[in-house]
Amino acid sequence: MAVDYFSLGQRIQAQRKKLHITQERLAEAISVTVGYVSQIERGITKVNLEMLSKIADFLECDMTDFLRGMSHGSSEYLSDDLKAAFLKLTPANKKLLLGISQLLMQGQQDGVDLPRA
């Protein structure tokens, strides 16, 4: 089961920013370097469960908030992230995204899949 570490990092970053916490403050609280926090947030470093627990505790949330739907094999893969992003779009961009989604679904039905990001 592959974990999407980029999306995991994005969720950590979003929660940190929501609480108006800097990378420096987070790094100090969990006893790592700012560079390490940056690498986690960019999905470069694969964070272990112990570190994820420390991050979640400091950011006042549950570790499962970061992990829910994070596996490529999960039927809910990125559903919450997609919904949140969709809700922030203008009506015109929502319509555009819907059209793109329909094209992607048609491609899947035809056996065509875009390269993985």
Side-chain angles (χ1 to χ4, degrees):
M1 172 172 29
V3 173
D4 185 341
Y5 286 97
F6 176 78
S7 295
L8 176 64
Q10 293 295 293
R11 287 182 181 182
I12 292 169
Q13 182 183 63
Q15 179 66 12
R16 177 181 60 76
K17 287 183 175 184
K18 178 181 169 185
L19 298 174
H20 306 288
I21 294 173
T22 64
Q23 285 184 336
E24 291 81 6
R25 188 165 159 219
L26 175 58
E28 183 180 321
I30 61 173
S31 302
V32 297
T33 66
V34 175
Y36 186 72
V37 170
S38 175
Q39 288 179 350
I40 290 171
E41 290 184 355
R42 291 181 290 141
I44 294 170
T45 296
K46 295 180 179 179
V47 62
N48 64 40
L49 289 176
E50 181 180 349
M51 185 58 63
L52 188 60
S53 177
K54 288 180 183 181
I55 293 168
D57 286 346
F58 185 74
L59 296 180
E60 302 170 1
C61 62
D62 193 276
M63 206 167 56
T64 58
D65 296 334
F66 294 139
L67 294 172
R68 188 171 293 111
M70 211 36 57
S71 168
H72 290 249
S74 167
S75 63
E76 295 181 18
Y77 177 57
L78 298 180
S79 293
D80 292 340
D81 300 83
L82 288 168
K83 181 179 179 183
F86 181 80
L87 292 173
K88 292 177 185 176
L89 295 174
T90 63
N93 284 338
K94 285 178 181 177
K95 186 175 181 179
L96 178 63
L97 183 58
L98 179 60
I100 292 168
S101 297
Q102 290 169 337
L103 287 172
L104 288 170
M105 287 185 292
Q106 183 61 48
Q108 275 183 186
Q109 289 174 356
D110 296 341
V112 177
D113 205 3
L114 294 176
R116 291 188 106 151

